[in-house]
Amino acid sequence: MSNLAMEREKQTEQTSSVPKQAPRAQTTKVTRFEKLLYGMFIAFLLYACITLIGNKADLYKVNADFSKLQRGIEEQKKINDDLKAEVEQLSRYDRIAKKAKEMGLEVNEDNVKGLNQ
């Protein structure tokens, strides 16, 4: 082999022994418009989350108020029932006749009219 061929082989060996760098993948740059879109999307997500949490809190408050009102209604119904029972007890005929006698009223059988309820 000639000297020139030997030099050529050495050069190829030297270049082949050095690892070649892999070609870099081209990175795409994010444009300002895309950054703006991403920012707006994130802002929308944050707004939606905050709104959802706020609505849940309002709903919880309304449900608590509703339960409180229902308990109040039930208590008032019990009071009303107790008062109705007391009215029925106080409006019995024998009690009214006793009170009338204590106040000096007399029962005149000719003047008494019965009412059907």
Side-chain angles (χ1 to χ4, degrees):
M1 275 208 230
S2 73
N3 228 359
L4 186 60
M6 290 293 272
E7 286 179 24
R8 189 78 163 156
E9 275 185 31
K10 285 182 185 178
Q11 283 179 354
T12 57
E13 285 177 10
Q14 287 177 355
T15 57
S16 63
S17 65
V18 175
K20 291 185 178 181
Q21 292 181 348
R24 293 166 94 195
Q26 286 187 350
T27 57
T28 58
K29 292 187 177 182
V30 180
T31 64
R32 286 185 182 176
F33 180 71
E34 289 173 337
K35 287 180 185 178
L36 178 68
L37 281 178
Y38 293 145
M40 288 174 54
F41 181 70
I42 290 171
F44 173 75
L45 286 179
L46 287 174
Y47 172 75
C49 290
I50 290 170
T51 304
L52 180 70
I53 292 170
N55 287 343
K56 289 278 186 177
D58 290 342
L59 186 61
Y60 176 77
K61 185 178 178 182
V62 168
N63 282 337
D65 291 343
F66 179 72
S67 297
K68 191 176 181 180
L69 285 174
Q70 269 189 324
R71 277 185 263 128
I73 289 171
E74 292 298 322
E75 289 175 11
Q76 191 62 43
K77 281 183 181 179
K78 287 180 186 177
I79 292 170
N80 289 349
D81 290 341
D82 291 343
L83 290 174
K84 282 181 185 178
E86 187 177 345
V87 165
E88 288 176 9
Q89 182 183 11
L90 293 175
S91 64
R92 288 190 337 250
Y93 177 75
D94 58 338
R95 183 187 169 282
I96 293 173
K98 183 179 173 185
K99 282 288 185 182
K101 280 186 181 180
E102 286 176 7
M103 297 180 142
L105 297 175
E106 295 180 11
V107 178
N108 186 354
E109 296 291 330
D110 297 332
N111 254 350
V112 176
K113 295 181 181 178
L115 297 176
N116 293 331
Q117 291 181 352

